Structures are given as structure tokens and as C-alpha cells.
């Protein structure tokens, strides 16, 4: 059984506000078409300060897709974890998880462009440690427990899919060690998407296939 993906990065090297607006709206129409024709997930990701207008706000886009669809999942693969405030990210993921009735899959990566870190004022050399802290904070926020990196008890809206893998480790940074942590069991990009999807829907999907890209 094929696992089907439609991917949107919204790249437009010659973008103007008018053309980029049209591209975003067309992507929503395509997502609705994919939803109605049985595709499994919309995939998107983030980049910042890209000259080709690469999508910088994947969760905003995911929310719009959820509003335009009824059953298709959205996989954010990947969010650049160290560039985000951990508690705010936990809240954003929780809200989208609740809004979509469990259709959000988030992959936490560390990126590969030092200029994005410089732009955000985040030290490139600390990205591995920041990623560890972020993921520990996400788990603590969703369970109302303490994080090893903080002294306070965190809290955010509880995710609807509690107990299922909805946010996965990236293999990019010290992947073997991170991939083996409890609750974060995904390593390769294919395994990451498919395992998350199976845990959510019970699907027997074994492979990925991209039908379209925009």
C-alpha cells in the first residue's frame, strides 16, 4: 500500500506580494483536492531569509490547510527546533493538534544553514544542546511535568493524541543518541513520516510516494 505525499515549499524566486498570495491560495486549493482524492499527507517545512521566498511559517500554513480539509494530515518536516521558543512551540503544536483532531505530525530538525541561526541571533555551535532542551521541554509542557532543564512545572493545552508519537526526532544532530530516546523513535525521513502516520491512523502504509510538489 503506497503512502502518498503532496509537498509544498511555496518557493517563488521572482515573488511579489501579489504572486505569492496567489501561490499560497493555490496551494490551499491543491491541498483540498488532495484531501478529496485520498492522499495521505501534506508535507511542508520552514526556512528563513531565503531569497526564493521559501515558506517561513509552516504552522500557520498547516492551520490554513486544516481549515480547508477534513481528513488529510499535515507533516511539518521539519521545524528548525533551536530557532523557536520551546514553550511557545509546545503551545502552537497543541493548538493545531486539537484544531485538526490529531492530524498534525511535527518533525523537529536542527537545519543546515548557519545564516538562519545568525539571522535569529542563535549560536550555531549550541544547536545540538538547544535541540535537546527544546524536545525535553515539549514533553514536559504536554504532560504538565518538570523539565530537566528548568525548575518550574510547565503546562500547555494537552495534545489530543497524547500517548502517540506526533513529534519526532530528526536524525540530523547526533541522530543515533536522540533517535533512541523514549517517546521519540524516528530516524530516517521515510520512517519518520510513516511510523507517525501508522500510530495515528492505524494505516498499514509501508512506503512513501510523492504525487506532487509546489
Amino acid at each position: 500500500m503506497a503512502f502518498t505525499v503532496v509537498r509544498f515549499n511555496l518557493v517563488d524566486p521572482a515573488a511579489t506580494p501579489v504572486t505569492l498570495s496567489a501561490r499560497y491560495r493555490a496551494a490551499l486549493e491543491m491541498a483540498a483536492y488532495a484531501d478529496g482524492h485520498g492522499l495521505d499527507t501534506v508535507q511542508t517545512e520552514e526556512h528563513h531569509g531565503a531569497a526564493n521566498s521559501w515558506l517561513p511559517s509552516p504552522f500557520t500554513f498547516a492551520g490554513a490547510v486544516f481549515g480547508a480539509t477534513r481528513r488529510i494530515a499535515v507533516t511539518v518536516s521539519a521545524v528548525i527546533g533551536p530557532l523557536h521558543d520551546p514553550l511557545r512551540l509546545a503551545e502552537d503544536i497543541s493548538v493545531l493538534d486539537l484544531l485538526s483532531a490529531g492530524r498534525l505530525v511535527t518533525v523537529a530538525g536542527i537545519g543546515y544553514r548557519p545564516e538562519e541561526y545568525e539571522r535569529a541571533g542563535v549560536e550555531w555551535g549550541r544547536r545540538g544542546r538547544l535541540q535537546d532542551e527544546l524536545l525535553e521541554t515539549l514533553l514536559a509542557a504536554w504532560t504538565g511535568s518538570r523539565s530537566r532543564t528548568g525548575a518550574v512545572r510547565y503546562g500547555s493545552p494537552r495534545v489530543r493524541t497524547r500517548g502517540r508519537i506526533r513529534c519526532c526526532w530528526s536524525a540530523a544532530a547526533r541522530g543515533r543518541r536522540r533517535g533512541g530516546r523514549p517517546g521519540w523513535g524516528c530516524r530516517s525521513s521515510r520512517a519518520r513520516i510513516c511510523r507517525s502516520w501508522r500510530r495515528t491512523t492505524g494505516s498499514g502504509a509501508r512506503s512513501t510516494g510523492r504525487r506532487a510538489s509546489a
Side-chain angles (χ1 to χ4, degrees):
M1 180 179 178
F3 182 85
T4 51
V5 179
V6 56
R7 180 183 176 219
F8 296 104
N9 54 39
L10 286 305
V11 165
D12 183 357
T16 67
V18 172
T19 62
L20 205 54
S21 174
R23 180 173 291 261
Y24 280 20
R25 287 182 284 109
L28 291 183
E29 293 177 3
M30 293 171 67
Y33 180 89
D35 182 56
H37 287 77
L39 273 73
D40 294 311
T41 191
V42 168
Q43 181 181 335
T44 190
E45 62 278 311
E46 71 172 340
H47 280 300
H48 302 278
N52 60 8
S53 302
W54 200 295
L55 178 70
S57 301
F59 292 115
T60 301
F61 178 69
V65 170
F66 290 138
T69 60
R70 292 294 175 265
R71 48 153 296 278
I72 199 168
V74 175
T75 300
V76 177
S77 178
V79 58
I80 307 173
L83 302 186
H84 291 265
D85 176 86
L87 287 177
R88 182 56 188 267
L89 184 62
E91 292 172 341
D92 287 346
I93 291 173
S94 295
V95 169
L96 284 173
D97 180 76
L98 296 168
L99 179 69
S100 67
R103 291 188 282 150
L104 179 69
V105 178
T106 306
V107 178
I110 64 168
Y112 57 89
R113 300 174 69 233
E115 56 267 36
E116 291 182 289
Y117 280 73
E118 182 179 1
R119 183 177 184 271
V122 178
E123 186 179 343
W124 172 256
R126 296 187 64 234
R127 63 194 185 282
R129 178 171 305 212
L130 290 171
Q131 180 80 330
D132 282 343
E133 293 175 358
L134 173 112
L135 294 166
E136 288 168 1
T137 300
L138 292 181
L139 288 176
W142 292 330
T143 59
S145 61
R146 291 178 183 271
S147 167
R148 290 187 299 169
T149 59
V152 299
R153 186 173 294 276
Y154 296 133
S156 71
R158 297 297 178 88
V159 289
R160 180 181 185 273
T161 49
R162 185 181 179 188
R164 299 175 180 174
I165 294 179
R166 306 302 300 139
C167 184
C168 301
W169 295 99
S170 168
R174 289 179 288 175
R176 289 185 180 179
R177 180 170 66 80
R178 288 191 173 86
R181 294 278 185 87
W184 307 88
C186 302
R187 295 184 183 180
S188 73
S189 59
R190 290 193 176 192
R192 192 161 47 216
I193 296 172
C194 290
R195 289 178 191 171
S196 296
W197 182 255
R198 285 199 295 269
R199 283 175 170 82
T200 305
T201 66
S203 168
R206 290 173 304 204
S207 62
T208 58
R210 287 180 178 162
R211 291 280 186 86
S213 179

